Amino acid sequence: MNNGEPSQTALMAAAARAAHLIVDDEPRIFADTLAYELLGDRADELVGYHRAHGTHVILAGARAAAVTRSRYTEDRLAEAVGGGIRQYVILGAGLDSYAYRAAGGSYVDHPEPDGRVRVQVFEVDHPATQRWKIRLLEDAGVAVPGTVTFVPLDFETESLLDRLVGHEFDPSRPAFVSWLGVTMYLTREAIGQTLTVIGGFAPGTEVVADSMLPEDLRDEAGQAYVEAVMPVSAGGGEPWLTFLGPEGMASLLKAHGFDVVEHARQRDAVDASLWDRSDALRPYDLSLLTHARVPGRIPSGGAVRRPR
């Protein structure tokens, strides 16, 4: 935190999503049409780096990581909603724009009579970050729909479950949880504490989380990215503490009661045709996306996506 603003990494992720629509060619992997506005008066500066140096391994890697994890997560969310889930929890929401991109609020296309279903979005983040985001939304003229619930949480001193329930989250109904760009900044113990809470949600609850790969699982581009970015992040007060590959992430999830649905590296996180490109965007062996679920008997109206 810095004067009530989001972390630099949250800003960098939003800049990468915004720059993808400006710097990269077709096919688009992910279209975050509000990311630029949510950068406020820093938009030109932050996206300008990508305009000027977009082919650099670090900036291209940042865009690849940001757009693939967002696309993968929202694709899995759409599937979960198709199966009956109606609660979406975004941990460390930062400048995520999902809830504001769909006209009239956060809806997911679904074959019902009106073609849409209502999804309640719970944005969980530090209170100062949320206040900053709300100001940016106001400045950009973006209305906050009734499908959004801001859940301010000091992760170090407050209970995630208590705060969610206090904001009308129903733990007896399955939810979809996204947890992106966070685990590398936490100890394994802290990751486990959060997984314990999510694992206590209703059977059928699904989670997508990402992790940074250990050194022996990175490729040359991924290693170059880590060597350049990790010390900068540490210098800004956000050191990387935990690296998890498929085995490590699966072990951690299973220890907290989850069934792993699948692991996906950047290359496999989106359709292969999206990597048939003429620009600098390439999949790195840098990070891992893991999709897991809470097993057990599913409440009426819930559903579980089966492993592919």
Side-chain angles (χ1 to χ4, degrees):
M1 300 299 299
N2 181 18
N3 297 324
E5 295 186 7
S7 70
Q8 285 298 306
T9 51
L11 288 168
M12 295 303 108
R17 296 193 302 270
H20 177 55
L21 299 181
I22 297 170
V23 173
D24 298 318
D25 301 329
E26 297 286 351
R28 306 296 189 200
I29 293 176
F30 183 73
D32 189 338
T33 53
L34 287 178
Y36 195 94
E37 284 77 7
L38 290 181
L39 291 169
D41 58 11
R42 296 198 62 185
D44 288 344
E45 170 200 354
L46 296 176
V47 175
Y49 296 134
H50 291 267
R51 289 181 185 272
H53 309 289
T55 61
H56 191 280
V57 64
I58 305 306
L59 293 175
R63 295 197 305 281
V67 297
T68 54
R69 74 187 187 190
S70 293
R71 174 65 179 268
Y72 179 86
T73 301
E74 292 193 15
D75 282 352
R76 301 293 80 75
L77 170 64
E79 293 172 353
V81 170
I85 285 178
R86 297 293 182 266
Q87 298 183 113
Y88 178 27
V89 178
I90 309 177
L91 297 179
L95 298 178
D96 187 279
S97 67
Y98 167 78
Y100 315 96
R101 276 183 265 117
S106 51
Y107 292 81
V108 176
D109 291 337
H110 186 58
E112 291 196 353
D114 63 355
R116 294 186 157 191
V117 295
R118 188 178 191 271
V119 180
Q120 192 67 33
V121 180
F122 298 85
E123 293 198 5
V124 182
D125 217 328
H126 191 282
T129 298
Q130 289 193 335
R131 289 192 295 269
W132 191 88
K133 180 177 185 176
I134 291 169
R135 288 198 301 271
L136 288 173
L137 288 166
E138 292 173 348
D139 291 345
V142 177
V144 177
T147 52
V148 174
T149 299
F150 292 108
V151 183
L153 174 71
D154 185 334
F155 288 87
E156 295 182 358
T157 63
E158 295 179 299
S159 163
L160 170 60
L161 180 59
D162 288 349
R163 295 298 286 168
L164 279 169
V165 171
H167 286 77
E168 300 186 352
F169 173 80
D170 184 355
S172 71
R173 306 295 297 171
F176 186 92
V177 181
S178 68
W179 197 18
L180 304 178
V182 177
T183 62
M184 65 285 291
Y185 302 107
L186 304 177
T187 63
R188 288 179 67 98
E189 180 183 10
I191 296 170
Q193 289 171 351
T194 297
L195 291 177
T196 296
V197 175
I198 302 171
F201 293 172
T205 289
E206 302 183 30
V207 60
V208 170
D210 67 341
S211 59
M212 298 298 291
L213 290 170
E215 183 174 357
D216 63 333
L217 297 180
R218 300 176 205 140
D219 60 11
E220 183 177 352
Q223 182 62 21
Y225 184 95
V226 171
E227 290 176 355
V229 176
M230 187 165 67
V232 175
S233 184
E238 296 177 313
W240 294 359
L241 303 175
T242 299
F243 301 86
L244 294 166
E247 291 185 3
M249 182 61 90
S251 176
L252 194 56
L253 283 161
K254 290 177 181 177
H256 290 85
F258 289 85
D259 288 340
V260 173
V261 177
E262 68 178 350
H263 300 294
R265 300 197 189 198
Q266 288 181 15
R267 180 175 299 279
D268 305 315
V270 298
D271 190 275
S273 64
L274 295 174
W275 295 119
D276 184 12
R277 317 187 60 84
S278 59
D279 55 26
L281 217 60
R282 298 290 183 273
Y284 293 1
D285 279 334
L286 169 67
S287 55
L288 178 76
L289 285 155
T290 300
H291 180 197
R293 65 179 176 88
V294 177
R297 185 175 179 180
I298 306 164
S300 175
V304 170
R305 175 174 173 267
R306 299 301 176 187
R308 294 191 293 185

